[in-house]
């Protein structure tokens, strides 16, 4: 069934291409996973550097890096699940699509003698943009958000009122975790010139839409979604995640807007630092924005 030079001779991948069964996290067939990892690297989905051993060969471990890279491939190609964010599972749809992209490349499986030469020697801004950024810690984000108090929470001077997404993307870029915004995947992208003292230089691009930024980062980081309903209120969600730092996306506040922010375990930064720009939540009870959310709260827990 599979036709590419990379996949054609591997029985496990051909079985997965028939969903018999699919390949997922913890897959025991390391040879099949190695080929999958090579495909993700050669299709420029991710560098897969954490999965490359000292000999230059892929480790064959279907762990977090492979899962996130596969999920990104699915997200970018509208495959692997109805949500559009991907499943991180190598199923029929995903493998056939990947195989069709590999056929014209005519890439052979790596061997120990060719692997070292094929591995990129160093990370660059180009390869980092294709890899999965590391998660920041709560301490890192808290420090970066604190810097925005000097500009009243409005690092962008373009007259944008809702700057929650701008704060998050700039803070992530300053955390040295390999985070970049991709212009091809974000609609309204601003890149500040080096003479912009507020946003801090040309590498710190940002987007002004909380929804677009959430869709972008949820393509490689796994948020937990809590839907608002009679038996699960915003206050209940706050009580459940309290004391854990997190990036949180509030889907549909009472005023009709969305909001994305860093939560330090007690308050979101709009409340904690009291710099709400026009149109954003104002300082109030620690759980006020949670209670004002009408549809869902998406939570990405962070280490302290």
């Amino acid at each position: 069934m599979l036709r590419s030079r990379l996949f054609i001779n591997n029985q496990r991948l051909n079985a997965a291409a028939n969903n018999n069964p699919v390949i997922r996290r913890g897959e025991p067939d390391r040879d099949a996973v190695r080929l999958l990892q090579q495909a993700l690297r050669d299709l420029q989905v991710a560098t897969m550097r954490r999965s490359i051993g000292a000999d230059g060969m892929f480790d064959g471990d279907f762990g977090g890096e492979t899962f996130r890279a596969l999920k990104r491939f699915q997200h970018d190609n509208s495959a692997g699940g109805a949500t559009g964010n991907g499943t991180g599972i190598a199923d029929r749809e995903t493998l056939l699509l990947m195989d069709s992209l590999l056929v014209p490349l005519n890439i052979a499986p790596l061997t120990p003698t060719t692997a070292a030469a094929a591995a990129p020697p160093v990370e660059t801004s180009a390869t980092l943009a294709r890899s999965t950024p590391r998660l920041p810690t709560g301490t890192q984000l808290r420090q970066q958000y604190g810097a925005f108090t000097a500009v009243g929470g409005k690092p962008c001077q373009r007259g944008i009122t809702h700057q929650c997404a701008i704060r998050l993307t700039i803070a992530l870029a300053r955390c040295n975790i390999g985070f970049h915004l991709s212009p091809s995947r974000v609609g309204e992208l601003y890149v500040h010139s080096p003479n912009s003292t507020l946003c801090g230089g040309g590498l710190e691009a940002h987007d002004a839409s909380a929804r677009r930024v959430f869709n972008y980062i949820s393509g490689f980081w796994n948020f937990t979604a809590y839907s608002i309903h009679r038996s699960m209120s915003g206050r209940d969600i706050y009580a459940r995640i309290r004391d854990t730092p997190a990036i949180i996306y509030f889907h549909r506040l009472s005023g009709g807007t969305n909001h994305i922010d860093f939560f330090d375990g007690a308050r979101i930064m709009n409340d904690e630092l009291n710099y709400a720009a026009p149109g954003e939540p104002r300082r109030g009870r620690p759980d006020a924005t949670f209670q004002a959310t009408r549809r869902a709260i998406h939570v990405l827990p962070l280490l302290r």
Side-chain angles (χ1 to χ4, degrees):
M1 172 175 286
L2 298 176
R3 301 181 297 114
S4 67
R5 186 179 179 189
L6 188 62
F7 285 172
I8 191 170
N9 292 320
N10 187 272
Q11 293 183 352
R12 179 67 186 94
L13 286 173
N14 276 276
N18 281 309
N19 288 338
N20 187 32
V22 298
I23 294 176
R24 63 179 72 231
R25 291 185 80 152
E27 167 64 39
D29 192 323
R30 287 185 173 265
D31 288 338
V33 176
R34 285 189 186 96
L35 294 175
L36 187 61
Q37 290 170 327
Q38 183 181 342
L40 290 165
R41 199 270 310 272
D42 291 347
L43 291 173
Q44 297 185 334
V45 179
T47 63
M48 304 302 295
R49 292 187 64 84
R50 295 179 184 85
S51 300
I52 298 175
D55 60 355
M57 292 291 289
F58 291 99
D59 60 14
D61 177 19
F62 197 137
E65 182 178 44
T66 303
F67 172 82
R68 290 187 294 270
L70 186 59
K71 189 173 180 181
R72 171 174 280 195
F73 172 82
Q74 293 168 327
H75 180 275
D76 288 349
N77 292 278
S78 301
T83 64
N85 286 330
T87 60
I89 296 172
D91 57 7
R92 175 184 174 87
E93 178 189 14
T94 302
L95 287 170
L96 290 179
L97 175 58
M98 190 175 288
D99 187 62
S100 70
L101 297 173
L102 288 167
V103 167
L105 300 180
N106 196 32
I107 296 169
L110 289 176
T111 65
T113 57
T114 62
V122 293
E123 293 280 21
T124 65
S125 60
T127 59
L128 280 172
R130 293 264 183 195
S131 65
T132 300
R134 300 179 301 279
L135 276 174
T137 65
T139 300
Q140 285 178 305
L141 274 181
R142 180 63 179 80
Q143 180 180 3
Q144 299 304 331
Y145 266 82
F148 297 136
T149 57
V151 291
K154 295 184 285 186
C156 179
Q157 292 180 306
R158 290 178 178 263
I160 299 169
T161 56
H162 295 70
Q163 296 207 13
C164 62
I166 297 172
R167 289 192 294 269
L168 178 64
T169 50
I170 293 175
L172 288 173
R174 290 175 175 174
C175 282
N176 193 28
I177 56 172
F179 175 83
H180 295 264
L181 280 176
S182 168
S184 64
R185 291 183 56 195
V186 180
E188 190 177 348
L189 188 65
Y190 299 111
V191 181
H192 286 249
S193 61
N195 62 6
S196 171
T197 58
L198 292 178
C199 286
L203 290 179
E204 292 181 307
H206 65 71
D207 188 271
S209 166
R211 175 183 57 80
R212 283 195 299 264
V213 168
F214 168 70
N215 288 341
Y216 180 73
I217 64 177
S218 64
F220 46 81
W221 289 334
N222 298 313
F223 283 74
T224 298
Y226 298 95
S227 296
I228 304 295
H229 48 75
R230 288 185 178 180
S231 58
M232 177 68 77
S233 68
R235 179 177 291 179
D236 295 330
I237 297 168
Y238 176 84
R240 178 173 294 192
I241 70 167
R242 187 176 180 180
D243 298 327
T244 301
I247 296 172
I248 301 182
Y249 174 64
F250 299 91
H251 184 197
R252 199 62 67 203
L253 299 179
S254 54
T257 60
N258 302 312
H259 184 73
I260 195 164
D261 210 334
F262 168 61
F263 176 70
D264 66 2
R267 288 180 177 269
I268 61 172
M269 292 297 96
N270 259 34
D271 287 340
E272 175 65 18
L273 301 176
N274 197 24
Y275 53 42
E280 295 186 58
R282 295 290 178 178
R283 183 176 176 87
R285 291 169 50 93
D287 60 359
T289 304
F290 291 80
Q291 292 192 58
T293 304
R294 295 293 177 258
R295 292 193 181 176
I297 296 173
H298 302 259
V299 179
L300 177 66
L302 305 173
L303 296 176
R304 291 193 178 274

